[in-house]
Amino acid sequence: MPRSFVRPARRWWLPLAAVAMLASACASVTSAGSTQPSGGDNDDAEVGPPQYGGRMVYGLEAETTNGWCLQEGQLAISGIQVARTIYDTLTVPDGDGGFRPYLAESVQPNADYTQWTIRLRDGVVFHDGSPLTAAVVKNNLDAYRGQYPTRSSLLFVFVLQDIASVDVVDDLTLTINTRRPWASLPAHLYSSGRLGITGQAQLDDEEDCGRTMIGTGPFRLDEWRVNDHLTVTRNEDYWRSDADGNQLPYLDEIEFRPITEGQQRLNALKSGEIDAYQISSNTGALDIDELRALDEAQQVNMAESDDFAEVGFLMLNTTQPPFDNRIARRAVALALERELSNEIMTKGIASLANGPFAPGSIGYVEDTGFETDNQEEAARLVEQYEEETGEEFAFTITADPSPELQQLVALNRQSLERVGIRVSTRNLEQSALIQSAIERNYQALTFRNYPGLDPDSLYVWWYGAGNPVNFMGFDDPEVNALLDAGRETIDPAVRQQVYGDLNRELAAEGYMIWASWTIWAIPMQPEFHNVVGAQAPDYSASPYTGLALGHDMALVWKEQ
């Protein structure tokens, strides 16, 4: 199960932040001493030290057709994985639920968490040879929050709205001033791997920012042919080293290849056409079961994790009928036969979810009040809805076209139609599906989100008041108040209560219908090793073991 957010006290945390379960909420982030990493897949301990060289072909579940102008980006998991090979973030998560410095050498708050001082690492250069400076980072942060002239930020304007200003102190130091206490800011400087720092030339490219791709990351862009491949080559000037002081990355080249159909990705791995790919239990649970057997037989080398689990769910658009009506939302939740669908689709591999916070996370409660699998009550509510509105209960489910997800949608459609709801379907590839969510151009939409980082990172998705990133469109005063309370407090007991109450409120209102906690896996050819979610550069903490946000390609190596 996902590991707890309990963090043992460490000498470099502020005294208050050493309290158990506070985790990243009070993260003063500073480099510290060195320990050996403990991440990676189970077979790596037997194969000796890492080796340099080699090429990897990596299958992606989707293409990022709108490119990698990160401040304006709409990155799903495939886009995040590619971005992490080219760009670095200021912070990264660790295995205890906190955040560590990455491009930053330290991230330190003042006493009331309204000003954060960031000290950057000296000597880091972008792929075009320009230096990482406080001025470039300020320009990046200003661009993300919609305050830079050449960039039109989309989603991050709301994510970073509590930043009042960013000021340069000297070449390697800047301060972030916030509008109110914001103890979890280090989590937002990572933002699920989406807040990469881009070179000034890319930031200022008004013609082709999405293809310029200048970062400080372990690999440089070589070639991108949309819907065919994207190739990156080793950054010889990369700033990171492994635990023994050897320069990273290990691989010479990675070719990312979009293969949208899950069975095709599996077949490509088995035939040797690709060397690795990402797979989740939301769309490939039975494939994970097969891959486990292949791993046991040493025919593949697979890393697997449900730590810091994200959740699959059906997202309901509350700005239009029928889901502007709570009766309709509750009827759909009760109509779905989740246990039957889970058994058919995954043989029970996936664990059914009761909310957005997985076990072990701040805000998890065993009983949220979320109800499903009651078709008799669902049928009664359908009749009530149609009687009160005078409208037929009908809606469209928008989904990714993968065969596994289409099968799940078909099962859900049968359950819904049995209680008197007329259901149609619409298929969109991943980038178009995300755009549909942003535009609220849907009624019900299959989605996967909310990896188990600090719960304040979910503020952006659920706050109302005209928030464009609240894809469901609800403006719930109780949800807003709880999100504000969670952001502004640093007391661990209060945070647990606040986010537990938030969990129950979301269950009661039914804006999202939870499916299952997601297992992520990275199956690879047997000669590839060392899948790690994220690792602090000084190895001062256990690695982040979640895989919902991709993994660190600088640490992957090939046995020669």
Side-chain angles (χ1 to χ4, degrees), residues 120-447:
L120 302 174
R121 297 184 186 277
D122 193 8
V124 178
V125 296
F126 288 95
H127 297 158
D128 63 356
S130 61
L132 176 74
T133 65
V136 176
V137 173
K138 168 186 163 54
N139 291 341
N140 269 263
L141 294 176
D142 284 348
Y144 276 112
R145 63 194 193 92
Q147 300 294 316
Y148 193 76
T150 59
R151 298 272 63 89
S152 299
S153 180
L154 183 62
L155 305 182
F156 278 101
V157 170
F158 188 81
V159 175
L160 302 178
Q161 67 170 349
D162 276 336
I163 293 180
S165 65
V166 182
D167 300 316
V168 172
V169 177
D170 58 40
D171 282 352
L172 293 175
T173 310
L174 62 151
T175 57
I176 297 176
N177 303 289
T178 62
R179 302 182 194 282
R180 54 177 163 166
W182 196 359
S184 61
L185 180 63
H188 296 270
L189 297 178
Y190 181 67
S191 287
S192 301
R194 294 179 172 94
L195 205 136
I197 301 301
T198 65
Q200 189 66 46
Q202 180 178 2
L203 198 63
D204 290 338
D205 189 339
E206 298 187 61
E207 299 297 325
D208 209 12
C209 175
R211 299 182 67 95
T212 306
M213 300 176 72
I214 303 170
T216 61
F219 294 89
R220 306 168 183 262
L221 175 66
D222 178 60
E223 181 181 54
W224 180 28
R225 295 185 181 178
V226 179
N227 291 319
D228 187 79
H229 71 273
L230 185 149
T231 303
V232 295
T233 56
R234 187 177 193 271
N235 177 9
E236 300 292 344
D237 299 317
Y238 193 45
W239 57 275
R240 285 173 60 202
S241 300
D242 67 13
D244 295 319
N246 303 306
Q247 188 186 23
L248 295 171
Y250 299 118
L251 294 174
D252 289 332
E253 183 177 289
I254 305 168
E255 177 189 323
F256 292 103
R257 189 179 299 174
I259 305 173
T260 58
E261 205 274 308
Q263 186 62 51
Q264 187 179 353
R265 289 194 299 275
L266 174 59
N267 291 341
L269 182 78
K270 290 161 69 173
S271 70
E273 180 184 347
I274 65 173
D275 299 309
Y277 73 101
Q278 300 165 316
I279 183 172
S280 77
S281 58
N282 284 119
T283 58
L286 298 184
D287 288 350
I288 287 177
D289 198 37
E290 179 179 351
L291 286 161
R292 286 173 176 171
L294 294 173
D295 186 40
E296 184 68 24
Q298 299 185 347
Q299 294 176 318
V300 302
N301 189 10
M302 185 165 77
E304 179 183 330
S305 177
D306 66 354
D307 292 351
F308 304 100
E310 64 178 353
V311 62
F313 57 99
L314 187 67
M315 187 161 64
L316 305 180
N317 185 349
T318 68
T319 68
Q320 59 179 263
F323 299 121
D324 55 352
N325 188 313
R326 184 174 178 273
I327 294 172
R329 300 194 297 269
R330 187 160 181 261
V332 169
L334 290 170
L336 295 180
E337 300 168 286
R338 293 194 311 155
E339 292 185 8
L340 175 62
S341 295
N342 192 43
E343 185 59 35
I344 292 172
M345 293 297 299
T346 77
K347 296 182 180 178
I349 290 172
S351 299
L352 293 177
N354 67 352
F357 305 125
S361 300
I362 297 172
Y364 171 76
V365 290
E366 189 170 337
D367 182 9
T368 63
F370 179 65
E371 296 180 290
T372 59
D373 292 82
N374 187 341
Q375 289 218 313
E376 182 178 352
E377 177 64 8
R380 187 191 70 78
L381 290 173
V382 170
E383 291 181 2
Q384 181 181 349
Y385 172 84
E386 293 184 339
E387 180 178 334
E388 292 183 3
T389 65
E391 300 290 338
E392 179 189 23
F393 197 153
F395 70 95
T396 299
I397 298 177
T398 300
D400 183 282
S402 67
E404 301 90 349
L405 194 54
Q406 290 301 304
Q407 184 182 354
L408 179 58
V409 169
L411 288 170
N412 288 338
R413 180 176 181 174
Q414 291 173 14
S415 297
L416 293 163
E417 290 179 342
R418 274 196 290 271
V419 302
I421 302 173
R422 182 167 61 83
V423 180
S424 56
T425 60
R426 178 177 66 147
N427 300 331
L428 292 176
E429 58 88 16
Q430 197 170 85
S431 293
L433 187 137
I434 293 173
Q435 187 62 38
S436 181
I438 293 170
E439 296 172 352
R440 297 186 189 136
N441 179 26
Y442 74 95
Q443 290 178 296
L445 188 148
T446 59
F447 222 65

Side-chain angles (χ1 to χ4, degrees), residues 527-558:
E527 64 268 26
F528 288 93
H529 304 279
N530 206 30
V531 169
V532 177
Q535 176 69 69
D538 58 7
Y539 302 91
S540 58
S542 60
Y544 178 75
T545 51
L547 297 176
L549 303 173
H551 61 104
D552 188 346
M553 295 301 299
L555 295 171
V556 174
W557 61 275
K558 182 179 182 180

